[in-house]
Amino acid sequence: MTHKNIDFRVPTLTRVEGEGALHLTVDDGTISDLRLEIYEPPRFFEAFLRGRTYREPVDITARICGICPVAYQMSAANALERISGVTVDGQLRELRRLLYAGEWIESHVLHIGFLHAPDFLAADSGIELAGRHPELIEQVLRLKQIGNTIMEVVGGRPIHPVNVRLGGFYRAPESAELDALVEPLAWAHEAAIELARWVAGFDFPELTVDHEFVSLRHPTEYPMLDGRVVSDRGLDIDPAEFDGVFVEEHVAHSTALHGRRRDGSIYLTGPLARWANNQDRLPPTVAALARELGVSGVVRNPFRSIIVRSLEVLIAVEQAQQIIADYVRPADPAIDVPPAEGVGWGASEAPRGVLFHRYDTDADGIITDARIIPPTAQNQPAIEDDLRTLVESFLAGHGDLDDHELQHRCEVAVRNHDPCISCAAHFLTVKVNE
Amino acid sequence: MTDTGGSVDAVTGPWGRRVLIGVGNHDRGDDSIGPLIADAVQSRTDRVVSIDREGDLAVLPLLWEEGDDVLIVDAYRSSDAVGTVRMIDPDDLAAGGGLSTHGLSVAEAVQLAHRLNRMPNRLRVMGVAGQRFGHEAMSPELRAVFSSVVDAVLAELGLEEVSNDPASPRQRGSH
């Protein structure tokens, strides 16, 4: 045991979305303070959804995040269509999955190439990395561009899609528009494989975490658009049962609520959780590549999440290819979703984890209450636990790091989970006295 | 939205293929000037490849080729009068760029293009001073000078004659 004192504060975490800080104090070899502090001001989306009509959340909540707007649209649609008793299936559902695949591709490759890979290659940024690996970073950009194009073709524009509505879309793309994506996606398939092999060659620090992995699970698909909520410890519930299993807690050092199981235990959502819970849903190509890269099965080292994330890019590419190959333009771009009174939960897999929405509506479809539970808020306790495990291992004499290197290692441990602080900081509960 | 422009000959000027990239956000007041300028130029001439680039700029280096003559138009915030047009040296821009997170700025995208060895034949940046950058409409002051900014862009592209072309949509009163 090292009887040392450490005190560092990273006032602004870099290469994460949003505003957060990291504090660590060690007194005489014991951690006395360790906090992932989220200080970005809340934006009160839930409060101003109240009083709006049930058709509006798919557009309003998309504005919460510029990198995962589709996740917000889909979780909102799932919840609100459920209240109305409507199921969107067939080609309309496939178009939603295609749109979501575009978001996964663009979000994941940005994180892999520009936010996370620099950590393993001693670079300060993706821009610096581009100077050393121009071909690979250009490949990352081209992959991102393909994700953007899918978003534009299906969603109407590359960010904050405007073509999504309850029941489907305002306009279904022509087959020729999707056919134009066939060739780029064939290239993307090879590029995604190359990207996965590249990141799998990084030198990863040792860290084993014991979080419960919580994700969605679909009867036949790798989870993205919808599914039941499952875990590697036997949880299997409908999203509507969230409150019976999970709680959101306010902590002083975060403007985002912390998610926990009701028994106080920590859980993790995101690529590692999806991967752990859905091994039998992997396409054969991905399963084979995972075996080649040594990540077949459950991965409990968060530093290796970059490999899983890159394999999820390949999953998204294959999903897009399949949907386009089978596409038949629907006769109507949407089905009717009438207003209804009720409570509806919806969940989908944002690139960084499960995103839950809950809405209460009256008979006219006016929203009387809204809750949004984003993955980063749920993941905060797990991220802090990763940091604690990492520092305790260091204090126990494992690892040869100076204090500066430890600080950097801690920052990487946060980035392992691709936190989107801007998403997470929207959700302080506001009680309106009327 | 991208317009591939007219024939290769039509879009090629002395510095290469003319590429206009309007950067900004349609929903953010004066920040919409870049995309709207690109759209306006596209409606008036097929002698430019006009690109309305909304959102993340990481892929900016992929929007041009080595032999291109690129003009980026973007809004800027300063004490300058609204609608002031400034040509900004891309390298000065790069030096002053701040790092964002899930998206790159123009400055960073230019840095990235340098690192990737994907700089065009000529790259220029035109800044247009704005004052409103919230979820609101374009300011009346900027709207009032919009046509003159379009003319300035056409002049920078060496297409002054389009401004005076009686067949151009604006000259027909349809900006």
Side-chain angles (χ1 to χ4, degrees), chain A residues 40 48 91 132 136 139 153 155 198 231 248-249 270 305 313 348 351 353 358 388:
Chain A
E40 180 157 327
F48 61 69
Q91 289 295 313
R132 284 194 248 156
L136 279 161
Q139 203 154 304
V153 169
W198 179 52
S231 82
E248 296 179 279
E249 300 173 336
S305 64
V313 173
S348 70
R358 191 196 106 151
R388 185 171 295 278

Side-chain angles (χ1 to χ4, degrees), chain A residues 24 30-35 207 381-395 410 413:
Chain A
L24 171 67
T30 302
I31 298 171
S32 57
D33 186 20
L34 193 161
R35 282 174 286 142
L207 178 66
I383 295 172
E384 288 185 342
D385 194 66
D386 285 9
L387 292 166
R388 185 171 295 278
T389 304
L390 186 70
V391 174
E392 284 176 346
S393 171
F394 166 76
L395 293 171
C410 287

Side-chain angles (χ1 to χ4, degrees), chain B residues 40-151:
Chain B
V41 169
Q42 181 182 318
S43 73
R44 292 180 51 187
T45 178
D46 62 359
R47 296 173 63 191
V48 182
V49 177
S50 291
I51 300 171
D52 163 350
R53 186 67 209 171
E54 187 170 38
D56 175 34
L57 300 177
V59 299
L60 206 59
L62 303 182
L63 301 183
W64 57 64
E65 300 296 333
E66 196 176 321
D68 286 348
D69 179 14
V70 178
L71 177 63
I72 296 173
V73 179
D74 194 5
Y76 73 93
R77 188 199 304 260
S78 82
S79 57
D80 287 349
V82 176
T84 300
V85 172
R86 284 183 183 274
M87 295 304 293
I88 303 166
D89 185 315
D91 290 329
D92 290 346
L93 186 70
L99 287 176
S100 59
T101 51
H102 273 166
L104 301 189
S105 64
V106 171
E108 291 162 328
V110 172
Q111 289 180 32
L112 184 59
H114 275 295
R115 298 292 182 114
L116 294 172
N117 292 318
R118 283 196 59 86
M119 286 297 285
N121 193 33
R122 182 168 71 157
L123 174 63
R124 294 167 299 156
V125 178
M126 176 186 282
V128 183
Q131 64 178 7
R132 289 184 180 178
F133 294 96
H135 287 289
E136 54 197 331
M138 181 184 283
S139 62
E141 295 89 341
L142 191 54
R143 194 179 298 278
V145 300
F146 185 85
S147 290
S148 65
V149 177
V150 173
D151 288 343

Side-chain angles (χ1 to χ4, degrees), chain A residues 16-17 63 67 110 114-115 127-128 130-131 134 137-138 141-142 144-145 148 152 157-159 352 418, chain B residues 1 25-27 53-56 58-59 61-63 99 101-104 108-109 111-112 115-116 118 135:
Chain A
V16 297
E17 169 56 30
R63 301 310 176 104
I67 196 72
L110 185 67
F114 283 80
L115 307 182
I127 296 171
E128 182 185 333
I137 294 299
E138 186 169 330
L141 290 181
R142 291 196 183 281
K144 179 166 169 43
Q145 193 176 34
N148 286 351
E152 194 165 2
R157 58 185 195 179
I159 56 159
R352 48 201 54 71
D418 189 13
Chain B
M1 179 167 52
N25 186 329
H26 280 284
D27 299 328
R53 186 67 209 171
E54 187 170 38
D56 175 34
V59 299
L62 303 182
L63 301 183
L99 287 176
T101 51
H102 273 166
L104 301 189
E108 291 162 328
Q111 289 180 32
L112 184 59
R115 298 292 182 114
L116 294 172
R118 283 196 59 86
H135 287 289

Side-chain angles (χ1 to χ4, degrees), chain A residues 65-332:
Chain A
C65 184
I67 196 72
C68 53
V70 175
Y72 283 90
Q73 294 185 307
M74 295 303 124
S75 289
N78 287 344
L80 291 158
E81 287 161 359
R82 200 164 180 180
I83 295 173
S84 299
V86 169
T87 300
V88 174
D89 55 17
Q91 289 295 313
L92 294 175
R93 182 174 184 276
E94 292 300 275
L95 280 174
R96 285 182 168 180
R97 292 178 67 226
L98 178 58
L99 180 64
Y100 221 142
E103 177 163 289
W104 271 34
I105 294 168
E106 68 164 344
S107 176
H108 272 357
V109 299
L110 185 67
H111 185 259
I112 291 165
F114 283 80
L115 307 182
H116 211 196
D119 285 328
F120 302 101
L121 298 168
D124 284 335
S125 69
I127 296 171
E128 182 185 333
L129 205 54
R132 284 194 248 156
H133 300 276
E135 298 83 8
L136 279 161
I137 294 299
E138 186 169 330
Q139 203 154 304
V140 164
L141 290 181
R142 291 196 183 281
L143 280 164
K144 179 166 169 43
Q145 193 176 34
I146 289 168
N148 286 351
T149 304
I150 294 173
M151 298 268 285
E152 194 165 2
V153 169
V154 183
R157 58 185 195 179
I159 56 159
H160 298 145
V162 291
N163 191 32
V164 175
R165 60 183 288 192
L166 290 186
F169 296 87
Y170 289 101
R171 173 186 173 276
E174 302 280 357
S175 294
E177 294 175 87
L178 299 190
D179 289 344
L181 293 166
V182 169
E183 196 175 318
L185 281 166
W187 175 87
H189 192 271
E190 296 309 304
I193 292 171
E194 199 172 323
L195 182 66
R197 286 184 174 137
W198 179 52
V199 301
F202 294 166
D203 188 16
F204 296 103
E206 288 297 323
L207 178 66
T208 302
V209 297
D210 190 35
H211 313 310
E212 180 175 6
F213 286 141
V214 173
S215 75
L216 296 186
R217 183 167 165 84
H218 184 272
T220 57
E221 302 159 0
Y222 192 80
M224 187 180 286
L225 185 62
D226 49 26
R228 289 179 64 80
V229 182
V230 303
S231 82
D232 61 328
R233 297 183 189 168
L235 180 71
D236 185 354
I237 61 169
D238 185 276
E241 298 173 83
F242 179 93
D243 281 333
V245 177
F246 303 103
V247 290
E248 296 179 279
E249 300 173 336
H250 178 65
V251 297
H253 61 274
S254 176
T255 54
L257 300 173
H258 276 210
R260 288 183 183 274
R261 291 283 297 251
R262 283 206 166 272
D263 63 7
S265 62
I266 290 169
Y267 68 97
L268 179 73
T269 74
L272 293 184
R274 287 190 291 261
W275 189 255
N277 296 332
N278 294 280
Q279 282 288 299
D280 55 348
R281 299 288 185 266
L282 295 178
T285 324
V286 178
L289 185 58
R291 283 193 293 275
E292 175 194 321
L293 303 181
V295 289
S296 194
V298 178
V299 176
R300 289 208 167 269
N301 180 349
F303 291 103
R304 295 168 73 84
S305 64
I306 191 170
I307 309 175
V308 174
R309 209 169 270 114
S310 66
L311 290 165
E312 287 195 333
V313 173
L314 184 58
I315 291 170
V317 168
E318 289 199 1
Q319 179 171 307
Q321 289 179 300
Q322 190 63 54
I323 292 166
I324 291 171
D326 297 340
Y327 182 62
V328 177
R329 191 176 194 234
D332 296 309

